[in-house]
Amino acid sequence: MTDPFEPFPKDCIHLPTFSLCPIARGEAGEIADVIASMDPWRTLGYGSSSLSSYLLRFDPALSRYAVRTSGETSGVVCVRHPWLLGPYIELLALFQRAQGKGLGRDVISWIQTRGTLSSSRNLWATVSSFNTRAWSFYARLGFARVASLKDLVQAGTDEILIRKTLD
């Protein structure tokens, strides 16, 4: 018998401080344009076209959501599940106007809760070695460094695999 609980639904989720809605075809390009202008993606050479393709390609194990506050797109989060006994945050990008307001923490908390409800033991992410701001954010939330992935995305730049153990 299969478990009817789907940790990362394909419909909009409305929470007290934000909503998560599947990315519509028409908004993927706009979201990709913003992400491509932000670090670490700008430094790593990700273009708007490749990001837009990523946001739209068929991948049943990847849930992609526009993060919305007050009806406005404020960022994006993409979660792969299952992945090494828990969800993997492939992409979390909050637009500049939404940063520093606790929204990232709230999104991570929602993912963590969904992972716990699905009996996951881990919550995973990666950060670029030069992205000290992202690493500080994840460390404050209880993530620990697991491994350094040398030259994964770009020669001379490491990606750091991080994990939070779920209770």
mmCIF file with all atom_site columns, all heavy atoms in Angstrom, residues 105-123:
data_model
loop_
_atom_site.group_PDB
_atom_site.id
_atom_site.type_symbol
_atom_site.label_atom_id
_atom_site.label_alt_id
_atom_site.label_comp_id
_atom_site.label_asym_id
_atom_site.label_entity_id
_atom_site.label_seq_id
_atom_site.pdbx_PDB_ins_code
_atom_site.Cartn_x
_atom_site.Cartn_y
_atom_site.Cartn_z
_atom_site.occupancy
_atom_site.B_iso_or_equiv
_atom_site.pdbx_formal_charge
_atom_site.auth_seq_id
_atom_site.auth_comp_id
_atom_site.auth_asym_id
_atom_site.auth_atom_id
_atom_site.pdbx_PDB_model_num
ATOM 1   N N   . ARG A 1 105 ? 13.723 31.820 6.396  1.00 0.00 ? 105 ARG A N   1
ATOM 2   C CA  . ARG A 1 105 ? 13.580 30.945 7.567  1.00 0.00 ? 105 ARG A CA  1
ATOM 3   C C   . ARG A 1 105 ? 12.216 30.265 7.551  1.00 0.00 ? 105 ARG A C   1
ATOM 4   O O   . ARG A 1 105 ? 12.109 29.068 7.820  1.00 0.00 ? 105 ARG A O   1
ATOM 5   C CB  . ARG A 1 105 ? 13.739 31.776 8.846  1.00 0.00 ? 105 ARG A CB  1
ATOM 6   C CG  . ARG A 1 105 ? 13.560 30.969 10.134 1.00 0.00 ? 105 ARG A CG  1
ATOM 7   C CD  . ARG A 1 105 ? 13.290 31.848 11.335 1.00 0.00 ? 105 ARG A CD  1
ATOM 8   N NE  . ARG A 1 105 ? 12.033 32.554 11.131 1.00 0.00 ? 105 ARG A NE  1
ATOM 9   C CZ  . ARG A 1 105 ? 11.864 33.877 11.281 1.00 0.00 ? 105 ARG A CZ  1
ATOM 10  N NH1 . ARG A 1 105 ? 12.852 34.642 11.656 1.00 0.00 ? 105 ARG A NH1 1
ATOM 11  N NH2 . ARG A 1 105 ? 10.690 34.421 11.070 1.00 0.00 ? 105 ARG A NH2 1
ATOM 12  N N   . ASP A 1 106 ? 11.168 31.000 7.214  1.00 0.00 ? 106 ASP A N   1
ATOM 13  C CA  . ASP A 1 106 ? 9.819  30.434 7.172  1.00 0.00 ? 106 ASP A CA  1
ATOM 14  C C   . ASP A 1 106 ? 9.685  29.373 6.078  1.00 0.00 ? 106 ASP A C   1
ATOM 15  O O   . ASP A 1 106 ? 9.029  28.345 6.281  1.00 0.00 ? 106 ASP A O   1
ATOM 16  C CB  . ASP A 1 106 ? 8.776  31.530 6.966  1.00 0.00 ? 106 ASP A CB  1
ATOM 17  C CG  . ASP A 1 106 ? 8.642  32.465 8.169  1.00 0.00 ? 106 ASP A CG  1
ATOM 18  O OD1 . ASP A 1 106 ? 9.179  32.145 9.257  1.00 0.00 ? 106 ASP A OD1 1
ATOM 19  O OD2 . ASP A 1 106 ? 8.011  33.526 8.008  1.00 0.00 ? 106 ASP A OD2 1
ATOM 20  N N   . VAL A 1 107 ? 10.298 29.615 4.932  1.00 0.00 ? 107 VAL A N   1
ATOM 21  C CA  . VAL A 1 107 ? 10.253 28.635 3.841  1.00 0.00 ? 107 VAL A CA  1
ATOM 22  C C   . VAL A 1 107 ? 10.987 27.364 4.258  1.00 0.00 ? 107 VAL A C   1
ATOM 23  O O   . VAL A 1 107 ? 10.476 26.250 4.073  1.00 0.00 ? 107 VAL A O   1
ATOM 24  C CB  . VAL A 1 107 ? 10.844 29.219 2.534  1.00 0.00 ? 107 VAL A CB  1
ATOM 25  C CG1 . VAL A 1 107 ? 11.035 28.140 1.477  1.00 0.00 ? 107 VAL A CG1 1
ATOM 26  C CG2 . VAL A 1 107 ? 9.959  30.345 2.001  1.00 0.00 ? 107 VAL A CG2 1
ATOM 27  N N   . ILE A 1 108 ? 12.170 27.504 4.843  1.00 0.00 ? 108 ILE A N   1
ATOM 28  C CA  . ILE A 1 108 ? 12.934 26.335 5.309  1.00 0.00 ? 108 ILE A CA  1
ATOM 29  C C   . ILE A 1 108 ? 12.140 25.589 6.377  1.00 0.00 ? 108 ILE A C   1
ATOM 30  O O   . ILE A 1 108 ? 12.089 24.352 6.386  1.00 0.00 ? 108 ILE A O   1
ATOM 31  C CB  . ILE A 1 108 ? 14.315 26.749 5.855  1.00 0.00 ? 108 ILE A CB  1
ATOM 32  C CG1 . ILE A 1 108 ? 15.171 27.372 4.771  1.00 0.00 ? 108 ILE A CG1 1
ATOM 33  C CG2 . ILE A 1 108 ? 15.016 25.553 6.522  1.00 0.00 ? 108 ILE A CG2 1
ATOM 34  C CD1 . ILE A 1 108 ? 15.616 26.460 3.674  1.00 0.00 ? 108 ILE A CD1 1
ATOM 35  N N   . SER A 1 109 ? 11.501 26.298 7.276  1.00 0.00 ? 109 SER A N   1
ATOM 36  C CA  . SER A 1 109 ? 10.698 25.669 8.322  1.00 0.00 ? 109 SER A CA  1
ATOM 37  C C   . SER A 1 109 ? 9.572  24.842 7.710  1.00 0.00 ? 109 SER A C   1
ATOM 38  O O   . SER A 1 109 ? 9.289  23.727 8.166  1.00 0.00 ? 109 SER A O   1
ATOM 39  C CB  . SER A 1 109 ? 10.135 26.735 9.261  1.00 0.00 ? 109 SER A CB  1
ATOM 40  O OG  . SER A 1 109 ? 9.321  26.151 10.236 1.00 0.00 ? 109 SER A OG  1
ATOM 41  N N   . TRP A 1 110 ? 8.923  25.367 6.680  1.00 0.00 ? 110 TRP A N   1
ATOM 42  C CA  . TRP A 1 110 ? 7.853  24.617 6.008  1.00 0.00 ? 110 TRP A CA  1
ATOM 43  C C   . TRP A 1 110 ? 8.411  23.341 5.372  1.00 0.00 ? 110 TRP A C   1
ATOM 44  O O   . TRP A 1 110 ? 7.832  22.264 5.520  1.00 0.00 ? 110 TRP A O   1
ATOM 45  C CB  . TRP A 1 110 ? 7.162  25.490 4.960  1.00 0.00 ? 110 TRP A CB  1
ATOM 46  C CG  . TRP A 1 110 ? 6.094  24.746 4.234  1.00 0.00 ? 110 TRP A CG  1
ATOM 47  C CD1 . TRP A 1 110 ? 4.827  24.491 4.678  1.00 0.00 ? 110 TRP A CD1 1
ATOM 48  C CD2 . TRP A 1 110 ? 6.196  24.114 2.947  1.00 0.00 ? 110 TRP A CD2 1
ATOM 49  N NE1 . TRP A 1 110 ? 4.143  23.739 3.742  1.00 0.00 ? 110 TRP A NE1 1
ATOM 50  C CE2 . TRP A 1 110 ? 4.952  23.497 2.677  1.00 0.00 ? 110 TRP A CE2 1
ATOM 51  C CE3 . TRP A 1 110 ? 7.224  24.021 2.009  1.00 0.00 ? 110 TRP A CE3 1
ATOM 52  C CZ2 . TRP A 1 110 ? 4.722  22.805 1.491  1.00 0.00 ? 110 TRP A CZ2 1
ATOM 53  C CZ3 . TRP A 1 110 ? 6.986  23.324 0.827  1.00 0.00 ? 110 TRP A CZ3 1
ATOM 54  C CH2 . TRP A 1 110 ? 5.747  22.721 0.587  1.00 0.00 ? 110 TRP A CH2 1
ATOM 55  N N   . ILE A 1 111 ? 9.556  23.454 4.682  1.00 0.00 ? 111 ILE A N   1
ATOM 56  C CA  . ILE A 1 111 ? 10.168 22.277 4.053  1.00 0.00 ? 111 ILE A CA  1
ATOM 57  C C   . ILE A 1 111 ? 10.541 21.252 5.125  1.00 0.00 ? 111 ILE A C   1
ATOM 58  O O   . ILE A 1 111 ? 10.303 20.055 4.962  1.00 0.00 ? 111 ILE A O   1
ATOM 59  C CB  . ILE A 1 111 ? 11.405 22.679 3.224  1.00 0.00 ? 111 ILE A CB  1
ATOM 60  C CG1 . ILE A 1 111 ? 10.996 23.565 2.050  1.00 0.00 ? 111 ILE A CG1 1
ATOM 61  C CG2 . ILE A 1 111 ? 12.155 21.438 2.725  1.00 0.00 ? 111 ILE A CG2 1
ATOM 62  C CD1 . ILE A 1 111 ? 12.154 24.256 1.354  1.00 0.00 ? 111 ILE A CD1 1
ATOM 63  N N   . GLN A 1 112 ? 11.114 21.723 6.211  1.00 0.00 ? 112 GLN A N   1
ATOM 64  C CA  . GLN A 1 112 ? 11.505 20.827 7.301  1.00 0.00 ? 112 GLN A CA  1
ATOM 65  C C   . GLN A 1 112 ? 10.289 20.100 7.864  1.00 0.00 ? 112 GLN A C   1
ATOM 66  O O   . GLN A 1 112 ? 10.334 18.891 8.081  1.00 0.00 ? 112 GLN A O   1
ATOM 67  C CB  . GLN A 1 112 ? 12.197 21.640 8.393  1.00 0.00 ? 112 GLN A CB  1
ATOM 68  C CG  . GLN A 1 112 ? 12.626 20.820 9.579  1.00 0.00 ? 112 GLN A CG  1
ATOM 69  C CD  . GLN A 1 112 ? 13.372 21.664 10.591 1.00 0.00 ? 112 GLN A CD  1
ATOM 70  O OE1 . GLN A 1 112 ? 14.118 22.568 10.248 1.00 0.00 ? 112 GLN A OE1 1
ATOM 71  N NE2 . GLN A 1 112 ? 13.173 21.366 11.857 1.00 0.00 ? 112 GLN A NE2 1
ATOM 72  N N   . THR A 1 113 ? 9.205  20.810 8.088  1.00 0.00 ? 113 THR A N   1
ATOM 73  C CA  . THR A 1 113 ? 7.977  20.195 8.604  1.00 0.00 ? 113 THR A CA  1
ATOM 74  C C   . THR A 1 113 ? 7.450  19.148 7.628  1.00 0.00 ? 113 THR A C   1
ATOM 75  O O   . THR A 1 113 ? 7.086  18.040 8.034  1.00 0.00 ? 113 THR A O   1
ATOM 76  C CB  . THR A 1 113 ? 6.899  21.264 8.871  1.00 0.00 ? 113 THR A CB  1
ATOM 77  O OG1 . THR A 1 113 ? 7.403  22.159 9.866  1.00 0.00 ? 113 THR A OG1 1
ATOM 78  C CG2 . THR A 1 113 ? 5.600  20.640 9.331  1.00 0.00 ? 113 THR A CG2 1
ATOM 79  N N   . ARG A 1 114 ? 7.440  19.466 6.351  1.00 0.00 ? 114 ARG A N   1
ATOM 80  C CA  . ARG A 1 114 ? 6.955  18.517 5.347  1.00 0.00 ? 114 ARG A CA  1
ATOM 81  C C   . ARG A 1 114 ? 7.858  17.277 5.310  1.00 0.00 ? 114 ARG A C   1
ATOM 82  O O   . ARG A 1 114 ? 7.385  16.159 5.184  1.00 0.00 ? 114 ARG A O   1
ATOM 83  C CB  . ARG A 1 114 ? 6.892  19.163 3.957  1.00 0.00 ? 114 ARG A CB  1
ATOM 84  C CG  . ARG A 1 114 ? 5.998  20.390 3.871  1.00 0.00 ? 114 ARG A CG  1
ATOM 85  C CD  . ARG A 1 114 ? 4.588  20.139 4.301  1.00 0.00 ? 114 ARG A CD  1
ATOM 86  N NE  . ARG A 1 114 ? 3.897  19.313 3.331  1.00 0.00 ? 114 ARG A NE  1
ATOM 87  C CZ  . ARG A 1 114 ? 2.613  19.007 3.379  1.00 0.00 ? 114 ARG A CZ  1
ATOM 88  N NH1 . ARG A 1 114 ? 1.857  19.459 4.359  1.00 0.00 ? 114 ARG A NH1 1
ATOM 89  N NH2 . ARG A 1 114 ? 2.068  18.253 2.453  1.00 0.00 ? 114 ARG A NH2 1
ATOM 90  N N   . GLY A 1 115 ? 9.155  17.480 5.456  1.00 0.00 ? 115 GLY A N   1
ATOM 91  C CA  . GLY A 1 115 ? 10.076 16.355 5.497  1.00 0.00 ? 115 GLY A CA  1
ATOM 92  C C   . GLY A 1 115 ? 9.844  15.476 6.709  1.00 0.00 ? 115 GLY A C   1
ATOM 93  O O   . GLY A 1 115 ? 9.806  14.244 6.610  1.00 0.00 ? 115 GLY A O   1
ATOM 94  N N   . THR A 1 116 ? 9.654  16.096 7.861  1.00 0.00 ? 116 THR A N   1
ATOM 95  C CA  . THR A 1 116 ? 9.406  15.348 9.093  1.00 0.00 ? 116 THR A CA  1
ATOM 96  C C   . THR A 1 116 ? 8.116  14.543 8.978  1.00 0.00 ? 116 THR A C   1
ATOM 97  O O   . THR A 1 116 ? 8.068  13.376 9.368  1.00 0.00 ? 116 THR A O   1
ATOM 98  C CB  . THR A 1 116 ? 9.344  16.294 10.307 1.00 0.00 ? 116 THR A CB  1
ATOM 99  O OG1 . THR A 1 116 ? 10.585 17.009 10.391 1.00 0.00 ? 116 THR A OG1 1
ATOM 100 C CG2 . THR A 1 116 ? 9.116  15.539 11.596 1.00 0.00 ? 116 THR A CG2 1
ATOM 101 N N   . LEU A 1 117 ? 7.068  15.143 8.413  1.00 0.00 ? 117 LEU A N   1
ATOM 102 C CA  . LEU A 1 117 ? 5.789  14.446 8.249  1.00 0.00 ? 117 LEU A CA  1
ATOM 103 C C   . LEU A 1 117 ? 5.896  13.257 7.304  1.00 0.00 ? 117 LEU A C   1
ATOM 104 O O   . LEU A 1 117 ? 5.097  12.331 7.385  1.00 0.00 ? 117 LEU A O   1
ATOM 105 C CB  . LEU A 1 117 ? 4.715  15.414 7.761  1.00 0.00 ? 117 LEU A CB  1
ATOM 106 C CG  . LEU A 1 117 ? 4.274  16.485 8.761  1.00 0.00 ? 117 LEU A CG  1
ATOM 107 C CD1 . LEU A 1 117 ? 3.344  17.490 8.092  1.00 0.00 ? 117 LEU A CD1 1
ATOM 108 C CD2 . LEU A 1 117 ? 3.617  15.864 9.981  1.00 0.00 ? 117 LEU A CD2 1
ATOM 109 N N   . SER A 1 118 ? 6.880  13.288 6.418  1.00 0.00 ? 118 SER A N   1
ATOM 110 C CA  . SER A 1 118 ? 7.065  12.177 5.478  1.00 0.00 ? 118 SER A CA  1
ATOM 111 C C   . SER A 1 118 ? 8.120  11.184 5.978  1.00 0.00 ? 118 SER A C   1
ATOM 112 O O   . SER A 1 118 ? 8.619  10.376 5.210  1.00 0.00 ? 118 SER A O   1
ATOM 113 C CB  . SER A 1 118 ? 7.447  12.701 4.093  1.00 0.00 ? 118 SER A CB  1
ATOM 114 O OG  . SER A 1 118 ? 8.749  13.261 4.128  1.00 0.00 ? 118 SER A OG  1
ATOM 115 N N   . SER A 1 119 ? 8.438  11.266 7.262  1.00 0.00 ? 119 SER A N   1
ATOM 116 C CA  . SER A 1 119 ? 9.401  10.355 7.904  1.00 0.00 ? 119 SER A CA  1
ATOM 117 C C   . SER A 1 119 ? 10.821 10.514 7.378  1.00 0.00 ? 119 SER A C   1
ATOM 118 O O   . SER A 1 119 ? 11.615 9.580  7.441  1.00 0.00 ? 119 SER A O   1
ATOM 119 C CB  . SER A 1 119 ? 8.953  8.899  7.782  1.00 0.00 ? 119 SER A CB  1
ATOM 120 O OG  . SER A 1 119 ? 7.688  8.736  8.372  1.00 0.00 ? 119 SER A OG  1
ATOM 121 N N   . SER A 1 120 ? 11.161 11.677 6.864  1.00 0.00 ? 120 SER A N   1
ATOM 122 C CA  . SER A 1 120 ? 12.522 11.939 6.405  1.00 0.00 ? 120 SER A CA  1
ATOM 123 C C   . SER A 1 120 ? 13.433 12.138 7.608  1.00 0.00 ? 120 SER A C   1
ATOM 124 O O   . SER A 1 120 ? 12.996 12.607 8.655  1.00 0.00 ? 120 SER A O   1
ATOM 125 C CB  . SER A 1 120 ? 12.563 13.177 5.515  1.00 0.00 ? 120 SER A CB  1
ATOM 126 O OG  . SER A 1 120 ? 11.826 12.958 4.335  1.00 0.00 ? 120 SER A OG  1
ATOM 127 N N   . ARG A 1 121 ? 14.696 11.817 7.429  1.00 0.00 ? 121 ARG A N   1
ATOM 128 C CA  . ARG A 1 121 ? 15.662 11.990 8.504  1.00 0.00 ? 121 ARG A CA  1
ATOM 129 C C   . ARG A 1 121 ? 16.614 13.147 8.267  1.00 0.00 ? 121 ARG A C   1
ATOM 130 O O   . ARG A 1 121 ? 17.338 13.550 9.167  1.00 0.00 ? 121 ARG A O   1
ATOM 131 C CB  . ARG A 1 121 ? 16.460 10.707 8.689  1.00 0.00 ? 121 ARG A CB  1
ATOM 132 C CG  . ARG A 1 121 ? 15.576 9.556  9.121  1.00 0.00 ? 121 ARG A CG  1
ATOM 133 C CD  . ARG A 1 121 ? 16.335 8.345  9.558  1.00 0.00 ? 121 ARG A CD  1
ATOM 134 N NE  . ARG A 1 121 ? 17.575 8.121  8.844  1.00 0.00 ? 121 ARG A NE  1
ATOM 135 C CZ  . ARG A 1 121 ? 18.056 6.924  8.557  1.00 0.00 ? 121 ARG A CZ  1
ATOM 136 N NH1 . ARG A 1 121 ? 17.413 5.847  8.925  1.00 0.00 ? 121 ARG A NH1 1
ATOM 137 N NH2 . ARG A 1 121 ? 19.191 6.790  7.907  1.00 0.00 ? 121 ARG A NH2 1
ATOM 138 N N   . ASN A 1 122 ? 16.621 13.670 7.053  1.00 0.00 ? 122 ASN A N   1
ATOM 139 C CA  . ASN A 1 122 ? 17.581 14.715 6.693  1.00 0.00 ? 122 ASN A CA  1
ATOM 140 C C   . ASN A 1 122 ? 16.911 15.807 5.880  1.00 0.00 ? 122 ASN A C   1
ATOM 141 O O   . ASN A 1 122 ? 15.936 15.556 5.174  1.00 0.00 ? 122 ASN A O   1
ATOM 142 C CB  . ASN A 1 122 ? 18.712 14.128 5.828  1.00 0.00 ? 122 ASN A CB  1
ATOM 143 C CG  . ASN A 1 122 ? 19.410 12.979 6.485  1.00 0.00 ? 122 ASN A CG  1
ATOM 144 O OD1 . ASN A 1 122 ? 20.006 13.140 7.535  1.00 0.00 ? 122 ASN A OD1 1
ATOM 145 N ND2 . ASN A 1 122 ? 19.320 11.806 5.888  1.00 0.00 ? 122 ASN A ND2 1
ATOM 146 N N   . LEU A 1 123 ? 17.488 16.996 5.954  1.00 0.00 ? 123 LEU A N   1
ATOM 147 C CA  . LEU A 1 123 ? 17.163 18.090 5.055  1.00 0.00 ? 123 LEU A CA  1
ATOM 148 C C   . LEU A 1 123 ? 18.496 18.556 4.482  1.00 0.00 ? 123 LEU A C   1
ATOM 149 O O   . LEU A 1 123 ? 19.432 18.847 5.232  1.00 0.00 ? 123 LEU A O   1
ATOM 150 C CB  . LEU A 1 123 ? 16.454 19.222 5.804  1.00 0.00 ? 123 LEU A CB  1
ATOM 151 C CG  . LEU A 1 123 ? 16.084 20.458 5.007  1.00 0.00 ? 123 LEU A CG  1
ATOM 152 C CD1 . LEU A 1 123 ? 15.218 20.105 3.792  1.00 0.00 ? 123 LEU A CD1 1
ATOM 153 C CD2 . LEU A 1 123 ? 15.367 21.465 5.892  1.00 0.00 ? 123 LEU A CD2 1
#
